[in-house]
Amino acid sequence: MSSTLAELDGGATPVLASSAERPTAWPHRHLLDTDVLSWPQIELVLDTADVMAQIVARRRPRSEALRGIGLTNLFYEASTRTRVSFEVAAKHLSADVVNVSVGGSSIEKGESLLDTVRTLESLGARVLVMRYATSGAPYLVARDFRGSVVNAGDGRHAHPTQALLDLYTLRRHLPGGSLRGRKVVILGDVLHSRVARSNLWTLTAAGADVWLCGPSTLLRGFEAWAAAGVGGERRFTVTSDIAAALRDADAVMALRLQQERMAAGLLPSVHEYAARFGLTAERLRLAREGCLVMHPGPMNEGVEIAPDVASSAQSLVTEQVANGVAIRMAVLSLVTSVRLREDA
Amino acid sequence: MSSTLAELDGGATPVLASSAERPTAWPHRHLLDTDVLSWPQIELVLDTADVMAQIVARRRPRSEALRGIGLTNLFYEASTRTRVSFEVAAKHLSADVVNVSVGGSSIEKGESLLDTVRTLESLGARVLVMRYATSGAPYLVARDFRGSVVNAGDGRHAHPTQALLDLYTLRRHLPGGSLRGRKVVILGDVLHSRVARSNLWTLTAAGADVWLCGPSTLLRGFEAWAAAGVGGERRFTVTSDIAAALRDADAVMALRLQQERMAAGLLPSVHEYAARFGLTAERLRLAREGCLVMHPGPMNEGVEIAPDVASSAQSLVTEQVANGVAIRMAVLSLVTSVRLREDA
Amino acid sequence: MSSTLAELDGGATPVLASSAERPTAWPHRHLLDTDVLSWPQIELVLDTADVMAQIVARRRPRSEALRGIGLTNLFYEASTRTRVSFEVAAKHLSADVVNVSVGGSSIEKGESLLDTVRTLESLGARVLVMRYATSGAPYLVARDFRGSVVNAGDGRHAHPTQALLDLYTLRRHLPGGSLRGRKVVILGDVLHSRVARSNLWTLTAAGADVWLCGPSTLLRGFEAWAAAGVGGERRFTVTSDIAAALRDADAVMALRLQQERMAAGLLPSVHEYAARFGLTAERLRLAREGCLVMHPGPMNEGVEIAPDVASSAQSLVTEQVANGVAIRMAVLSLVTSVRLREDA
């Protein structure tokens, strides 16, 4: 059911409106995490993103898909890349975008999250892109909000559009365009990473052999949690042995190290972390030749990733950012298509 | 002179431009408070809002009324609902909207309010929507600014669009669509409330029997002030007797309790305030059956209003927010029509 | 090569695209300072601004020149006038504008400036308008960024669009429209002023006799620095003698006094500064009759400029702000024309 350029260009006709006749109908009104996405649904996002990428590449990157639809970016945590990425994606689709960030809002007056969301809905928001420090908050909101909620990062829980853009980027660069049997390493503070969690679902769904690697204090309990969620034939390994993790890897994703982990006593020092788990050129030689390098950003260069690795030819960091716009355009048009279909 | 949909849709033709031929011409270039509005003028706002509400309800809520007109939201106090409401209203009318909030502005450099406003005017602002902590500031600005000033809340003084949206909401829900003879209670921190003040003028103009009720420390001097302003046959009562106030009421508006009132020694505790003046289901039984419940938001649930009352079928809280967009569209098109008429 | 209204109005045709056939081709992909601008190039900016001013004066101020082009305002310092001026200018040219200010960005997470810029480029920014506290930062960015960088103020170094709008404003008000031989005084904290530095290049290029005047602690080393940069027949004088500076002046530009200069021990007190170097009506009588008065804003009235002088008929302060929009439209269309020409 991925949409065509011709459909997207059609002024008033909403994207994917005719999805009922297509093999895969997108059923999710919200996107809260990737764990509920079937593989065909994930492929639908990626294929739709391909169409969106063509729109982005135009001299005037504009589709009419969300014309007249109010979208609010509700960010309770500081963010440049994710907020701007959603803003750009939404404007490319002609949505009416409103930004609300914690700094200048009446959240300072102590209003509850649900009250704020109901207010934004009454003011015309039909899509709510939200980032929140507490894990699970978007689920609470989604139960109440009558439009579509897109999770742009909730605590350490989930960051679904990041995982989808990572998968999209990997597919474009792995020979054959498939992750089946590929070894993908997620390296760093796995325990506190919403990026690691959302990527675990998509990467294993794509058939990758996923290795999660970090200091033992930043892995504690993760394996049991993940094993409960990852079923069937999906493969993943949790380890503190970085040599074992990197050996013959096809791709490595370094995670951002939050400085507050030191304060919490989980790590002795940034220096020691960099020495033992930093992604250096030397370590990368353990991996396959041409092993792809990724990072969700913003990077602490010299800590979790060496500057020469970050800027090497193998690094996909800036392409990840660029692909994020196409992925978010795809997600926004898919989640709103559910409502439009129901309304029709 | 309320405008028709056909007029609003007309591309380049500004809304209400032909108002000269109509019975009621809107004379106010600014909207600073509701006290200067005659009853026919108030009705004109409400009738225009009815037209605007039809535009809001469309799949693509967009009129050309303010096309090419620069509107600046200048907010010196945190606000979600009011700022976003004006932003959405202005965009529905195709205005060019710029947001300036105190956080990221050179106000931090100590520039005076008037200098800031002159700067914004020179940068093309023809409508200035402003919120300011000091009562009366918009009047100062309006004397200088050559476009239209719309007061979005100044200190404890006035919040005219809130009062208009409250009246609009009440009219839609009171049998017969009239407030004549209806008992409307404004409950809480009347003394410090710009919402109470602006509502006093519109509700009494509409013929309501207005009761203002709160702890005596939060009423002190209010009656004398109000009596000086409310003339003629208008009816209002100021009291600390909540039972007398609520008895047979047709509508109750609970006001937000500012936490800083405790610090100021005006109230012993939030708990005691809630116990004595909180709008609970039990208290509400003193009022007429089906008594309407309102709150300007953001609510302190469990303090000035009980959660079950706030979310009951009688509660119009979310509808107030939604109606705010239509009211603000009406106000923006009316105030700008004066200038457009003068220019013509 | 200045563009015509007809060209600007042409929907898809980018402004100045046909510049190759014109006498003066604009060669600068970035605008980092005014020192690299030849006099014909400066005139091209001013002439283009004349065309832009006509667009601004329309009922609907809109050109298609930057349609589809992503522009990001990246402000690491608080600013109202400059940020809004660029935002308004960019929107008049139909650019897709994104605002990023330090308050709500992941810069708080410690991301480097270059990483942030690469991210914004990957998100689609083709023009980056930036303000930064460190002198020279835009040069660093321009080496990396593939679009156009426009410096909106970097530390004490440069503020090129301010200098261009000052020159534009002076030309409109000086008899004959020329600065040749005119005495222009820049008064105040010259040493720390990016406005003074950028103005020095444009004013001397225009043939003015420039006098830079302030307390000796706020001039120290400036003369040597300026002499190294200002070549040929250009004329300027650095002095602490305010009477000598103002005598027979055609225009005086008062600079903002940063309060932090007191803390740094460079000035005894605001009061003494005002007494000795404040631009008062009495002092202004030393200048030519009708001497023009300017200030880049925001003003400390009563400190570097007396209120009656600031609001006198000689004062061009608000016109400077208004002209800033036209100048920035000119700069934005010129710098982007380079890229469009290369792409063609």
Side-chain angles (χ1 to χ4, degrees):
Chain A
M1 152 191 139
S2 80
S3 46
T4 64
L5 268 176
E7 285 175 319
L8 286 163
D9 284 337
T13 314
V15 59
L16 301 169
S18 59
S19 58
E21 319 153 2
R22 307 284 182 72
T24 310
W26 177 265
H28 305 288
R29 180 156 62 91
H30 309 296
L31 181 66
L32 305 177
D33 197 2
T34 51
D35 57 347
V36 298
L37 300 183
S38 67
W39 178 244
Q41 289 163 4
I42 291 172
E43 282 198 304
L44 177 57
V45 176
L46 305 183
D47 293 347
T48 307
D50 273 333
V51 181
M52 296 302 182
Q54 293 177 49
I55 294 175
V56 173
R58 289 182 190 165
R59 185 179 278 270
R60 191 184 167 207
R62 188 72 46 158
S63 134
E64 295 292 316
L66 297 199
R67 175 70 70 193
I69 291 186
L71 178 146
T72 299
N73 279 319
L74 178 62
F75 275 66
Y76 284 76
E77 288 189 332
S79 164
T80 299
R81 68 185 64 221
T82 307
R83 194 267 296 173
V84 174
S85 182
F86 272 107
E87 181 175 346
V88 168
K91 287 178 173 171
H92 284 350
L93 297 171
S94 304
D96 293 322
V97 182
V98 167
N99 289 311
V100 177
S101 54
V102 78
S105 87
S106 69
I107 294 142
E108 287 165 3
K109 291 191 192 167
E111 191 179 29
S112 81
L113 173 61
L114 278 185
D115 271 357
T116 300
V117 167
R118 279 174 200 144
T119 297
L120 295 172
E121 180 174 327
S122 298
L123 292 170
R126 285 175 61 187
V127 182
L128 187 71
V129 176
M130 70 177 283
R131 168 164 291 191
Y132 205 80
T134 311
S135 299
Y139 289 78
L140 185 72
V141 168
R143 259 183 277 165
D144 199 65
F145 188 70
R146 281 173 299 176
S148 293
V149 176
V150 177
N151 184 0
D154 63 322
R156 62 169 79 173
H157 174 257
H159 195 352
T161 55
Q162 179 70 42
L164 289 163
L165 74 88
D166 288 337
L167 180 57
Y168 181 81
T169 305
L170 279 171
R171 286 226 306 186
R172 290 172 70 103
H173 286 273
L174 285 172
S178 165
L179 276 82
R180 189 146 300 282
R182 298 292 185 176
K183 183 173 181 182
V184 180
V185 184
I186 301 178
L187 177 65
D189 182 4
V190 169
L191 189 58
H192 301 93
S193 174
R194 52 195 176 208
V195 175
R197 281 165 215 268
S198 288
N199 259 301
L200 181 60
W201 313 128
T202 46
L203 293 174
T204 54
D209 178 19
V210 182
W211 287 61
L212 301 124
C213 175
S216 58
T217 50
L218 298 180
L219 291 175
R220 199 159 290 153
F222 188 87
E223 184 158 8
W225 174 84
V230 175
E233 303 157 22
R234 301 192 183 192
R235 283 194 294 168
F236 75 96
T237 308
V238 180
T239 180
S240 283
D241 182 345
I242 186 167
L246 290 180
R247 191 164 303 122
D248 297 324
D250 294 284
V252 189
M253 233 174 250
L255 299 175
R256 176 174 182 77
L257 186 71
Q258 312 286 341
Q259 306 287 333
E260 51 266 40
R261 302 306 169 223
M262 311 309 137
L266 293 170
L267 285 177
S269 75
V270 165
H271 180 74
E272 184 163 335
Y273 180 84
R276 291 192 51 215
F277 291 95
L279 187 59
T280 60
E282 194 189 337
R283 286 216 171 91
L284 205 50
R285 279 194 280 276
L286 292 168
R288 288 250 161 102
E289 211 190 310
C291 171
L292 303 171
V293 171
M294 303 173 82
H295 191 294
M299 294 186 283
N300 293 307
E301 294 191 25
V303 182
E304 72 265 8
I305 190 166
D308 57 333
V309 173
S311 61
S312 69
Q314 295 163 267
S315 168
L316 303 177
V317 174
T318 56
E319 192 185 318
Q320 286 173 276
V321 177
N323 290 339
V325 174
I327 282 288
R328 287 170 181 124
M329 291 171 74
V331 165
L332 293 175
S333 66
L334 286 167
V335 296
T336 52
S337 71
V338 177
R339 183 86 185 283
L340 294 169
R341 214 162 51 210
E342 286 169 358
D343 288 355
Chain B
M1 149 194 141
S2 80
S3 45
T4 64
L5 268 177
E7 285 173 319
L8 285 164
D9 284 337
T13 315
V15 60
L16 302 169
S18 59
S19 59
E21 320 153 0
R22 308 284 183 71
T24 309
W26 176 266
H28 305 288
R29 181 157 61 92
H30 309 296
L31 181 66
L32 305 176
D33 198 1
T34 51
D35 57 347
V36 297
L37 301 184
S38 68
W39 179 245
Q41 289 163 5
I42 291 171
E43 282 198 304
L44 178 57
V45 177
L46 305 183
D47 292 347
T48 308
D50 272 334
V51 180
M52 296 301 181
Q54 293 177 49
I55 293 176
V56 173
R58 289 182 190 166
R59 185 179 279 268
R60 190 181 167 209
R62 188 71 46 157
S63 134
E64 296 292 315
L66 297 199
R67 175 71 69 193
I69 291 186
L71 179 146
T72 299
N73 278 320
L74 179 62
F75 276 66
Y76 284 75
E77 288 188 333
S79 164
T80 298
R81 69 186 63 222
T82 308
R83 193 267 296 172
V84 174
S85 182
F86 272 108
E87 180 175 347
V88 167
K91 287 178 175 173
H92 283 350
L93 297 171
S94 305
D96 293 322
V97 181
V98 167
N99 289 312
V100 177
S101 54
V102 78
S105 88
S106 69
I107 293 143
E108 288 167 2
K109 291 191 193 166
E111 192 179 29
S112 81
L113 173 61
L114 277 185
D115 272 356
T116 299
V117 167
R118 279 173 200 147
T119 297
L120 295 172
E121 180 175 327
S122 298
L123 292 171
R126 285 176 61 187
V127 182
L128 188 72
V129 175
M130 70 177 284
R131 168 163 291 192
Y132 205 80
T134 311
S135 299
Y139 289 78
L140 185 72
V141 168
R143 259 183 277 164
D144 198 65
F145 188 71
R146 282 172 299 174
S148 293
V149 176
V150 177
N151 184 0
D154 63 322
R156 60 170 79 174
H157 173 257
H159 196 352
T161 55
Q162 178 71 42
L164 289 163
L165 75 88
D166 288 338
L167 180 57
Y168 181 80
T169 305
L170 280 170
R171 286 227 304 185
R172 290 173 71 104
H173 286 274
L174 285 172
S178 165
L179 276 82
R180 188 145 302 279
R182 299 291 185 176
K183 183 175 182 181
V184 180
V185 184
I186 301 178
L187 177 65
D189 181 4
V190 170
L191 189 58
H192 301 96
S193 174
R194 52 195 177 209
V195 175
R197 282 166 214 267
S198 288
N199 259 301
L200 180 61
W201 312 128
T202 47
L203 293 173
T204 55
D209 177 20
V210 181
W211 287 60
L212 301 123
C213 175
S216 57
T217 49
L218 298 180
L219 291 175
R220 198 161 290 152
F222 187 86
E223 184 157 9
W225 173 85
V230 175
E233 303 158 21
R234 302 191 182 192
R235 284 192 294 168
F236 74 97
T237 308
V238 179
T239 181
S240 284
D241 182 344
I242 187 168
L246 290 180
R247 193 165 302 121
D248 297 324
D250 293 284
V252 188
M253 234 174 250
L255 299 176
R256 176 174 182 79
L257 185 71
Q258 312 285 342
Q259 305 287 333
E260 50 266 39
R261 302 306 168 223
M262 312 309 137
L266 293 170
L267 285 178
S269 75
V270 166
H271 180 75
E272 183 163 336
Y273 179 84
R276 291 192 50 215
F277 290 95
L279 187 60
T280 59
E282 193 189 337
R283 287 218 170 90
L284 205 49
R285 279 194 280 276
L286 292 168
R288 288 249 161 102
E289 211 190 310
C291 171
L292 302 171
V293 171
M294 302 173 82
H295 191 295
M299 295 184 284
N300 294 306
E301 294 190 25
V303 182
E304 73 265 7
I305 190 166
D308 58 333
V309 173
S311 61
S312 70
Q314 294 162 267
S315 169
L316 304 177
V317 175
T318 56
E319 191 184 317
Q320 285 174 276
V321 177
N323 289 339
V325 175
I327 282 289
R328 287 170 180 125
M329 291 172 73
V331 166
L332 293 175
S333 66
L334 287 166
V335 296
T336 51
S337 71
V338 178
R339 182 86 184 283
L340 294 168
R341 215 162 51 209
E342 286 169 358
D343 288 355
Chain C
M1 153 190 139
S2 80
S3 47
T4 63
L5 267 178
E7 285 175 319
L8 285 164
D9 284 336
T13 314
V15 59
L16 301 168
S18 58
S19 58
E21 320 155 0
R22 308 283 183 72
T24 309
W26 177 265
H28 305 288
R29 181 156 62 92
H30 309 296
L31 182 66
L32 305 177
D33 197 1
T34 51
D35 57 348
V36 298
L37 301 183
S38 68
W39 178 245
Q41 289 164 5
I42 292 171
E43 282 198 304
L44 178 57
V45 176
L46 305 183
D47 293 346
T48 308
D50 273 333
V51 180
M52 296 301 182
Q54 294 177 48
I55 294 175
V56 173
R58 290 182 188 165
R59 184 180 280 269
R60 190 183 168 209
R62 189 70 48 155
S63 134
E64 295 292 316
L66 297 199
R67 175 70 70 193
I69 291 186
L71 179 147
T72 300
N73 279 318
L74 178 62
F75 276 66
Y76 284 75
E77 288 189 331
S79 164
T80 298
R81 68 187 63 221
T82 307
R83 193 267 296 172
V84 174
S85 182
F86 272 108
E87 180 175 346
V88 168
K91 287 178 173 172
H92 284 349
L93 297 172
S94 304
D96 294 322
V97 182
V98 168
N99 290 310
V100 178
S101 55
V102 77
S105 88
S106 69
I107 294 142
E108 288 166 2
K109 291 191 193 166
E111 191 180 31
S112 81
L113 173 61
L114 278 185
D115 271 355
T116 300
V117 167
R118 280 174 200 145
T119 297
L120 295 172
E121 180 174 328
S122 297
L123 292 171
R126 285 176 60 187
V127 182
L128 187 71
V129 175
M130 70 177 284
R131 169 163 290 191
Y132 204 80
T134 311
S135 299
Y139 289 78
L140 185 72
V141 168
R143 259 184 276 165
D144 198 64
F145 188 71
R146 282 173 298 176
S148 294
V149 177
V150 177
N151 185 359
D154 63 323
R156 60 170 80 173
H157 174 256
H159 195 352
T161 56
Q162 179 71 42
L164 290 163
L165 76 88
D166 288 338
L167 181 56
Y168 181 80
T169 305
L170 280 170
R171 286 226 304 184
R172 290 173 69 104
H173 286 273
L174 285 172
S178 165
L179 276 81
R180 188 144 302 279
R182 298 291 185 177
K183 183 174 182 181
V184 180
V185 185
I186 301 178
L187 178 65
D189 181 4
V190 170
L191 188 58
H192 301 94
S193 174
R194 52 194 177 208
V195 175
R197 282 166 212 266
S198 288
N199 260 301
L200 180 60
W201 313 127
T202 47
L203 293 174
T204 55
D209 177 20
V210 181
W211 287 61
L212 301 123
C213 176
S216 58
T217 49
L218 298 180
L219 291 175
R220 199 160 290 152
F222 187 86
E223 185 158 7
W225 174 84
V230 175
E233 303 158 22
R234 302 191 181 193
R235 283 193 294 167
F236 75 96
T237 308
V238 180
T239 181
S240 283
D241 182 343
I242 188 167
L246 290 180
R247 192 164 303 124
D248 298 325
D250 295 284
V252 189
M253 235 174 249
L255 299 175
R256 176 175 182 78
L257 186 72
Q258 311 287 341
Q259 304 288 332
E260 51 265 38
R261 302 306 168 224
M262 311 309 137
L266 294 170
L267 285 177
S269 75
V270 166
H271 181 75
E272 184 163 335
Y273 178 84
R276 293 192 49 214
F277 291 95
L279 188 58
T280 60
E282 195 190 335
R283 286 218 171 90
L284 206 48
R285 279 194 281 275
L286 292 167
R288 289 248 162 102
E289 211 190 310
C291 171
L292 303 171
V293 171
M294 303 173 82
H295 192 295
M299 295 185 284
N300 294 306
E301 293 190 27
V303 183
E304 71 265 8
I305 190 166
D308 58 332
V309 174
S311 60
S312 70
Q314 296 163 265
S315 169
L316 304 176
V317 175
T318 56
E319 192 185 318
Q320 286 173 275
V321 178
N323 290 339
V325 175
I327 282 289
R328 287 168 181 128
M329 290 171 73
V331 166
L332 293 176
S333 66
L334 287 167
V335 296
T336 51
S337 71
V338 177
R339 183 86 185 283
L340 293 169
R341 215 162 51 210
E342 286 170 358
D343 288 354

